[in-house]
């Protein structure tokens, strides 16, 4: 046997790959590997596969084996996309854990984890590019496709298959994509393309001084072209190509003059890939010193890390937690060359923290969130994978990035509900997922908050996490002066001015007279919460959901905040014909209008979902407030998250009762957190700030605890209730949402499923019950809850539940019923 035979044998070995498809499939699918691709397949690489009759998908190799599937004959995979794995082995372990823990499918996790541009589309139309290089060398089959596209404008995959008389057309399509001749609307489209920028370089002929002199004399009659040449020579100090836009700006010669120089072969245009990510070339330096409280906190964190993997940093608002994080990150980068993940609840709302940290870490920092387009996300993904980014700031989806040497995860504002993904699956909690991710990387975790979640604080008190307290604001600034104002009392005395109490008006006047800024908080957007007929009580409702429509004056329409449905406003009651249609309730839009009537000379802005829909809308509003162009900012809970303004002295809570009355076991905890966080925005620099909380329920325990800054009192009250009624952290909860467009089918299905589960789990199963919103997007909803105490083996519960749901879904009469599982639904 010669030395080449083992390699030849390996190449001819029949291999099969188990792949993850970006679909919600209960099992992964297995494909056969063509012999000529044997050497290319590797776990973590992307491959092109056919699934179903005609659909093409990007899948990820999960496993490689020589055993064929038993239940079906394996199809051949069509192509291998990657030269190196796109996903790491640790990521695949993380995906497997998330699939198991949150009871979803691995395809759900893949769809959430990979940037869209790393997933091939599944459609089927090929289109010729508007502009392409006619000089590109084509094979005979490629030329057939291009000529057909010139005549027909678009071709389906089946058309191409018939045109070429063969089925294996995908490699040919890939070649046309690589040559940038076609666009593929759906079908093996490599969506990510590097951003190409035009650079200008002088023809080598003119490097000779004599030739350059002749060129000057020739261009004497074309002054604009001469300006372009002079500008090029001025900029070209190191002999490198000059960016086209930079040359145009420097010379002011215009596009026509530059084009003439290119046409004359004096200049040559080069297309080069450049980063889409903003560059920050600041030097890496930490130019501040910690105060005593911060030094103690940092020292204690490092001490706890010797024994514990997770530390909770409980520091009051403006205590300087961010600077402690920065010092921790500095230690990691300097001592271990490791990577750090810094999680923020909503990256777009914490631009100030992002900018502050960018100042210290320059180009070694990456930011990852939904505001980036797909191509930008791929660049960040690749830079994290190759270790170019040492620090990543991100929202919850950043836990899916391909870290190579992760050493520390910081979860800022760890109590925030934004860390929970509700739809679609996987319905994960980023804070909890980050702790498991750190475990896989043998990294450490810091959870930080002024108002920690009850679960985290409980884990710290029982010794599972380390606990560090920072009880004083940075620089000795006092916590804001808070006062409660009874709306009922002010209404009785007739001292309310629109929605503003006399106390709040007085505070606003004082702040404005000192040229200080104000934030007013109302946790509802829109103009009027509902419209109601005063004669018959009719209220316009959404046609798709079981909710009343909210009136938005800016659009003049009624909006559904659940499905996006809109309709024209109602002036005449369609039920009884009465013209007495009244507006009840109020949102941020109404507050803004009323305030402008009271203060016509004052600059007022609004911060809510409606004003921040554009990519830079939020940034513009916050920049204007930072630059003191805005005097009063009215907002929903967005204003509570991470904002830090040096001239903000007054916070006004318009109506605290909208938070407290929500039917949820977390309502009081969330109300405390939100009110305390909003209040914490005031007076964060030199002077003590003021907070005015308006409420009908002035004696409410939570409001008093917010005013007294009594987190411990709130925790003790709430934890006693949780223990008494067996709510988390003393139990684990799984919500099962049962949905169907026909209420009768839903009712029968939900009852059957609940009885089946009660036979297995007994009193641990509650329901089925209608949730607060019982119909969304034309689907009726019923909810079943499994509440298992902490002594119950939750993994066994999940296994039995999964088996039960598989059997339920297989029943013919319930096949059309949609089931959604939410583990830890809070």
């Amino acid at each position: 046997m010669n030395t080449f035979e083992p390699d030849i044998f390996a190449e001819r070995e029949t291999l099969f790959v188990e792949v993850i498809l970006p679909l919600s499939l209960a099992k992964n699918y297995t494909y056969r590997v063509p012999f000529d691709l044997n050497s290319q397949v590797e776990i973590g690489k992307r491959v092109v596969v056919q699934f179903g009759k005609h659909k093409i998908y990007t899948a990820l190799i999960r496993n490689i084996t020589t055993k064929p599937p038993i239940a079906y004959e394996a199809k051949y995979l069509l192509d291998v996309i990657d030269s190196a794995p796109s996903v790491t082995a640790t990521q695949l372990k993380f995906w497997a854990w998330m699939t198991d823990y949150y009871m979803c499918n691995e395809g759900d996790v893949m769809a959430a984890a990979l940037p869209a541009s790393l997933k091939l589309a599944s459609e089927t139309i090929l289109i010729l590019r508007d502009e392409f290089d006619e000089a590109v060398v084509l094979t005979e089959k490629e030329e057939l496709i291009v000529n057909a596209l010139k005549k027909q404008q678009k071709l389906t995959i089946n058309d191409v298959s018939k045109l070429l008389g063969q089925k294996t057309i995908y490699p040919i399509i890939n070649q046309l994509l690589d040559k940038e001749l076609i666009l593929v609307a759906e079908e093996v489209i490599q969506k990510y393309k590097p951003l190409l920028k035009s650079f200008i370089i002088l023809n080598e002929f003119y490097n000779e001084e004599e030739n350059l002199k002749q060129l000057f004399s020739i261009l004497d009659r074309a002054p604009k072209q001469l300006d372009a040449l002079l500008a090029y020579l001025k900029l070209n100090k190191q002999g490198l190509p000059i960016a086209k836009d930079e040359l145009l700006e420097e010379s002011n010669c215009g596009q026509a003059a530059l084009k003439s120089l290119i046409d004359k072969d004096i200049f040559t245009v080069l297309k080069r890939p450049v980063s889409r990510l903003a560059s920050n070339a600041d030097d890496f330096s930490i130019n501040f010193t910690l105060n005593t409280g911060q030094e103690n906190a940092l020292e204690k964190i490092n001490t706890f890390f010797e024994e514990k993997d997770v530390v909770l940093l409980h520091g009051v608002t403006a205590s300087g937690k961010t600077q402690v994080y920065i010092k921790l990150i500095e230690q990691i980068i300097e001592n271990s060359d490791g990577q750090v993940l810094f999680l923020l609840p909503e990256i777009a709302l914490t631009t100030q923290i992002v900018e502050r940290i960018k100042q210290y870490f320059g180009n070694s920092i990456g930011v990852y969130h939904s505001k980036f387009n797909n191509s930008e996300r791929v660049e960040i993904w690749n830079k994290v994978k190759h270790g170019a980014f040492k620090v990543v700031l991100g929202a919850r989806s950043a836990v899916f990035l391909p870290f190579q040497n992760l050493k520390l995860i910081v979860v800022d504002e760890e109590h925030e509900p934004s860390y929970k993904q509700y739809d679609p699956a996987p319905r994960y909690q980023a804070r909890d997922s980050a702790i498991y991710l750190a475990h896989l990387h043998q990294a450490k975790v810091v959870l930080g908050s002024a108002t920690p979640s009850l679960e985290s604080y409980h884990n710290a008190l029982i010794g599972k996490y380390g606990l560090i307290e920072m009880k004083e604001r940075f620089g000795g600034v006092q916590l804001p002066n808070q006062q409660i104002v009874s709306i009922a009392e002010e209404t009785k005395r007739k001292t309310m001015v629109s929605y503003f109490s006399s106390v709040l008006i007085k505070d606003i006047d004082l702040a404005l007279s000192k040229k200080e800024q104000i934030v007013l908080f109302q946790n509802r957007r829109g103009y009027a919460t509902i419209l109601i007929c005063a004669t018959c009580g009719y209220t316009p409702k959404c046609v798709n959901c079981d909710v009343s429509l909210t009136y938005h004056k800016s659009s003049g329409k009624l909006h559904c905040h659940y499905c996006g449905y809109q309709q024209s406003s109602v002036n005449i009651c369609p039920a009884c014909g009465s013209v007495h249609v009244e507006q009840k309730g109020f949102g941020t839009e109404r507050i803004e209008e009323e305030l402008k009537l009271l203060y016509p000379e004052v600059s007022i802005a609004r911060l809510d979902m409606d004003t921040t829909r554009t990519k830079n809308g939020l940034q513009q509003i916050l920049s204007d407030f930072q630059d003191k162009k805005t005097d009063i900012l009215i907002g929903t809970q967005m204003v509570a998250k991470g904002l830090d303004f040096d001239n903000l002295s007054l916070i006004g809570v318009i109506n605290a009762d909208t938070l407290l009355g929500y039917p949820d076991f977390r309502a009081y905890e969330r109300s405390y957190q939100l009110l305390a966080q909003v209040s914490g925005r005031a007076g964060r620099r030199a002077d003590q700030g003021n907070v005015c909380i308006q409420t009908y329920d002035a004696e409410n325990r939570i409001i008093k605890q917010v005013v007294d800054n009594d987190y411990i009192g709130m925790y003790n009250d709430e934890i006693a209730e949780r223990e008494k009624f067996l709510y988390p952290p003393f139990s684990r909860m799984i919500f099962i949402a049962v949905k169907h467009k026909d209420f009768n089918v839903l009712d029968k299905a939900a009852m059957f499923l609940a009885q089946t589960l009660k036979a297995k789990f007994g009193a641990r199963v509650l329901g089925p019950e209608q949730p607060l919103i019982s119909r969304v997007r034309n689907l009726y909803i019923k909810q079943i809850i499994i509440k298992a105490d902490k002594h119950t083996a939750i993994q066994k519960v999940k296994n039995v539940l999964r088996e039960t749901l598989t059997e339920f879904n297989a029943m013919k009469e319930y096949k059309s019923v949609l089931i959604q599982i939410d583990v830890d639904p809070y």
Side-chain angles (χ1 to χ4, degrees):
M1 186 181 289
N2 64 47
T3 54
F4 295 100
E5 281 183 352
D7 290 336
I8 294 167
F9 177 77
E11 284 177 12
R12 304 302 296 173
E13 189 177 20
T14 303
L15 297 179
F16 296 88
V17 289
E18 176 198 331
V19 302
I20 309 169
L21 284 151
L23 304 169
S24 192
L25 302 173
K27 290 184 178 180
N28 289 334
Y29 219 67
T30 299
Y31 288 83
R32 185 172 173 178
V33 182
F35 289 133
D36 60 336
L37 295 180
N38 272 11
S39 61
Q40 295 182 41
V41 294
E42 190 177 344
I43 290 172
K45 281 187 177 181
R46 293 176 300 149
V47 291
V48 181
V49 297
Q50 183 178 340
F51 186 75
K53 286 188 176 179
H54 305 293
K55 291 285 184 180
I56 303 296
Y57 292 96
T58 300
L60 265 172
I61 299 177
R62 186 82 177 82
N63 194 22
I64 302 171
T65 180
T66 54
K67 294 179 181 177
I70 297 168
Y72 54 91
E73 185 179 346
K75 297 176 186 175
Y76 281 98
L77 67 84
L78 303 174
D79 205 356
V80 178
I81 298 173
D82 296 319
S83 56
S86 284
V87 173
T88 67
T90 306
Q91 280 179 291
L92 289 172
K93 285 180 189 174
F94 183 58
W95 291 12
W97 170 81
M98 189 169 276
T99 301
D100 184 53
Y101 187 87
Y102 290 105
M103 296 190 68
C104 57
N105 297 317
E106 211 158 7
D108 297 325
V109 182
M110 175 186 170
L114 283 185
S117 293
L118 289 180
K119 294 176 282 192
L120 302 183
S122 63
E123 291 89 339
T124 54
I125 298 170
L126 308 181
I127 305 165
L128 200 63
R129 281 180 178 268
D130 292 335
E131 296 179 10
F132 59 88
D133 187 355
E134 295 276 4
V136 172
V137 178
L138 299 176
T139 65
E140 184 184 342
K141 289 178 180 178
E142 289 169 356
E143 196 162 358
L144 272 173
I145 297 171
V146 169
N147 289 335
L149 284 170
K150 284 178 180 176
K151 292 174 187 174
Q152 294 179 233
Q153 292 188 325
K154 59 184 181 181
L155 293 172
T156 65
I157 292 299
N158 284 338
D159 292 336
V160 176
S161 187
K162 287 173 186 174
L163 178 71
L164 301 182
Q166 64 185 66
K167 288 185 178 179
T168 55
I169 58 172
Y170 304 102
I172 301 168
I173 291 169
N174 266 332
Q175 285 299 319
L176 288 170
L177 281 165
D178 289 342
K179 292 174 181 178
E180 299 189 353
L181 292 170
I182 62 169
L183 294 170
V184 187
E186 314 168 302
E187 208 51 51
V188 195
I189 176 169
Q190 189 66 295
K191 290 182 186 175
Y192 174 65
K193 293 285 181 188
L195 178 62
L196 297 176
K197 191 172 179 179
S198 296
F199 288 83
I200 303 294
I201 191 163
L202 187 66
N203 190 317
E204 288 182 3
F205 177 76
Y206 300 108
N207 289 342
E208 297 287 336
E209 194 173 337
E210 194 60 39
N211 295 340
L212 188 60
K213 282 181 183 177
Q214 287 180 14
L215 180 60
F216 273 115
S217 61
I218 292 168
L219 294 181
D220 266 345
R221 297 183 297 275
K224 287 285 186 185
Q225 293 176 35
L226 185 59
D227 287 345
L229 178 62
L230 289 168
Y232 175 86
L233 294 171
K234 178 185 175 184
L235 293 169
N236 189 256
K237 292 173 182 175
Q238 297 176 326
L240 298 172
I242 307 300
K244 181 181 174 182
D245 51 3
E246 190 180 350
L247 181 60
L248 285 168
E249 187 179 343
E250 177 68 29
S251 65
N252 200 24
C253 68
Q255 293 277 2
L258 190 59
K259 186 176 184 302
S260 295
L261 290 168
I262 294 165
D263 291 342
K264 291 174 184 175
D265 205 26
I266 296 168
F267 280 159
T268 304
V269 180
L270 304 175
K271 295 274 190 181
R272 289 189 171 180
V274 295
S275 175
R276 289 178 169 86
L277 309 175
S279 177
N280 187 335
D282 291 345
D283 290 332
F284 173 82
S285 64
I286 305 295
N287 56 2
F288 62 86
T289 52
L290 301 181
N291 65 20
T292 307
Q294 292 170 319
E295 283 282 5
N296 289 339
L298 183 63
E299 192 178 320
K300 285 178 182 175
I301 289 171
N302 286 320
T303 303
F304 271 126
F305 277 165
E306 293 173 12
E307 298 178 6
K308 298 184 187 297
D309 293 328
V310 185
V311 170
L312 175 64
L313 179 60
H314 177 206
V316 297
T317 54
S319 57
K321 295 187 290 294
T322 304
Q323 291 174 317
V324 176
Y325 302 150
I326 288 169
K327 286 292 186 185
L328 272 171
I329 294 168
E330 182 193 22
Q331 288 176 4
I332 295 294
I333 292 175
E334 285 188 350
N335 299 334
S336 68
D337 196 35
Q339 290 175 302
V340 178
L341 171 58
F342 193 125
L343 283 178
L344 295 158
E346 290 181 48
I347 199 86
L349 297 176
T350 44
T351 39
Q352 290 174 307
I353 292 178
V354 171
E355 290 308 314
R356 198 180 302 169
I357 293 176
K358 270 187 174 181
Q359 287 173 14
Y360 303 120
F361 299 107
N363 283 338
S364 63
I365 190 167
V367 183
Y368 190 77
H369 60 81
S370 60
K371 293 285 180 185
F372 284 131
N373 64 41
N374 289 327
S375 294
E376 287 171 327
R377 288 200 207 186
V378 173
E379 284 200 32
I380 297 163
W381 180 281
N382 289 332
K383 286 196 172 188
V384 172
K385 188 169 76 169
H386 297 127
F389 283 150
K390 300 299 180 190
V391 185
V392 176
L393 285 169
R396 60 176 179 251
S397 59
V399 296
F400 294 117
L401 286 168
F403 295 99
Q404 294 296 316
N405 189 24
L406 188 62
K407 294 294 183 185
L408 175 70
I409 301 178
V410 176
V411 186
D412 194 29
E413 307 295 357
E414 66 84 31
H415 66 279
E416 268 289 338
S418 308
Y419 283 124
K420 171 69 178 175
Q421 162 89 4
Y422 288 101
D423 270 312
R427 295 173 179 84
Y428 66 100
Q429 223 294 350
R431 176 197 62 214
D432 301 345
S433 301
I435 291 171
Y436 185 77
L437 180 67
H439 165 72
L440 287 177
H441 283 272
Q442 296 183 314
K444 302 296 183 182
V445 181
V446 175
L447 307 177
S449 177
T451 54
S453 64
L454 261 66
E455 285 77 14
S456 294
Y457 202 72
H458 177 75
N459 282 334
L461 290 184
I462 63 173
K464 189 174 179 181
Y465 302 164
L467 176 62
I468 293 141
E469 309 267 5
M470 294 174 68
K471 296 181 179 179
E472 291 182 4
R473 283 188 153 191
F474 185 80
V477 177
Q478 289 182 299
L479 286 164
N481 172 43
Q482 304 188 64
Q483 53 187 329
I484 305 169
V485 179
S486 169
I487 299 172
E489 283 294 318
E490 290 257 338
T491 305
K492 195 187 292 182
R493 293 197 212 110
K494 297 186 178 178
T495 50
M496 288 291 291
V497 181
S498 181
Y499 304 110
F500 314 103
S501 65
S502 59
V503 177
L504 182 55
I505 290 286
K506 185 181 171 186
D507 287 345
I508 291 172
D509 290 341
L510 182 63
L512 290 173
S513 70
K514 292 181 176 179
K515 299 199 179 317
E516 293 171 340
Q517 290 170 294
I518 300 150
V519 163
L520 299 180
F521 169 69
Q522 170 63 10
N523 204 32
R524 282 201 178 139
R525 61 190 171 103
Y527 188 81
T529 311
I530 59 169
L531 298 186
I532 189 166
C533 174
T535 308
C536 71
Y538 166 81
T539 298
K541 291 199 168 186
C542 177
V543 296
N544 306 314
C545 311
D546 189 19
V547 291
S548 301
L549 295 170
T550 301
Y551 175 58
H552 287 238
K553 194 170 184 181
S554 56
S555 66
K557 291 186 175 181
L558 297 167
H559 294 239
C560 174
H561 291 169
Y562 284 83
C563 72
Y565 169 80
Q566 296 180 21
Q567 72 173 51
S568 298
S569 186
V570 175
N571 297 317
I572 299 171
C573 176
C576 71
S578 170
V579 294
H580 299 293
V581 179
E582 298 176 350
Q583 297 168 352
K584 297 288 184 184
F586 57 93
T588 48
E589 199 179 355
R590 184 70 171 267
I591 298 295
E592 181 185 25
E593 182 184 89
E594 295 289 324
L595 206 60
K596 281 179 176 176
L597 292 173
L598 291 171
Y599 297 96
E601 304 300 318
V602 170
S603 172
I604 299 169
R606 179 161 50 93
L607 181 69
D608 57 27
M609 285 286 287
D610 300 317
T611 59
T612 57
R613 291 192 188 281
T614 59
K615 183 174 181 179
N616 297 314
L618 174 77
Q619 186 60 50
Q620 189 60 54
I621 293 167
L622 294 181
S623 294
D624 286 349
F625 198 74
Q626 178 76 50
D627 297 339
K628 302 180 179 60
K629 293 177 185 175
T630 306
D631 299 310
I632 304 177
L633 183 64
I634 303 154
T636 55
Q637 58 183 317
M638 286 183 167
V639 299
K641 300 181 182 182
L643 302 185
D644 186 3
F645 299 110
D646 55 5
N647 196 44
L648 174 57
S649 67
L650 173 64
I651 301 287
V653 178
I654 304 298
N655 190 339
D657 306 301
T658 55
L659 302 168
L660 296 164
Y662 199 74
D664 176 29
F665 77 93
R666 281 187 175 276
Y668 272 21
E669 177 193 0
R670 292 265 162 85
S671 298
Y672 179 91
Q673 289 165 341
L674 194 50
L675 289 171
Q677 290 288 341
V678 169
S679 301
R681 302 306 109 204
R684 295 170 68 90
R685 292 296 186 269
D687 297 328
Q688 184 180 27
N690 288 310
V691 179
C692 178
I693 301 174
Q694 297 185 163
T695 174
Y696 281 97
D697 187 6
E699 297 302 311
N700 188 284
R701 161 173 72 81
I702 286 294
I703 292 176
K704 286 187 171 181
Q705 286 167 339
V706 169
V707 170
D708 296 337
N709 194 37
D710 185 13
Y711 173 83
I712 303 299
M714 184 279 294
Y715 171 83
N716 288 333
D717 289 340
E718 288 297 299
I719 208 76
E721 291 238 326
R722 301 275 181 94
E723 189 168 23
K724 182 179 177 182
F725 295 105
L726 206 64
Y727 277 106
F730 302 102
S731 68
R732 306 290 291 279
M733 295 176 76
I734 302 172
F735 280 13
I736 303 157
V738 189
K739 301 183 178 183
H740 199 272
K741 60 185 178 183
D742 185 322
F743 181 79
N744 293 324
V745 173
L746 171 71
D747 198 39
K748 186 180 174 186
M751 188 58 71
F752 175 81
L753 180 58
Q755 287 172 349
T756 306
L757 291 171
K758 283 174 182 175
K760 296 179 179 182
F761 299 125
R764 295 186 184 94
V765 179
L766 308 173
E769 294 291 341
Q770 284 188 345
L772 190 63
I773 309 299
S774 59
R775 183 172 65 103
V776 174
R777 300 180 191 275
N778 279 324
L779 289 173
Y780 292 95
I781 307 167
K782 285 216 165 179
Q783 200 171 61
I784 300 166
I785 300 172
I786 298 177
K787 194 158 75 165
D789 62 51
K790 58 184 179 181
H791 302 298
T792 305
I794 194 69
Q795 192 54 51
K796 287 184 180 177
V797 171
K798 288 178 183 177
N799 292 341
V800 173
L801 176 57
R802 202 184 279 273
E803 289 169 15
T804 305
L805 292 176
T806 302
E807 291 168 9
F808 175 83
N809 289 327
M811 297 175 72
K812 190 176 180 182
E813 58 192 307
Y814 299 134
K815 276 194 172 178
S816 60
V817 176
L818 179 66
I819 302 289
Q820 289 181 349
I821 305 172
D822 193 354
V823 178
D824 299 344
Y826 40 79

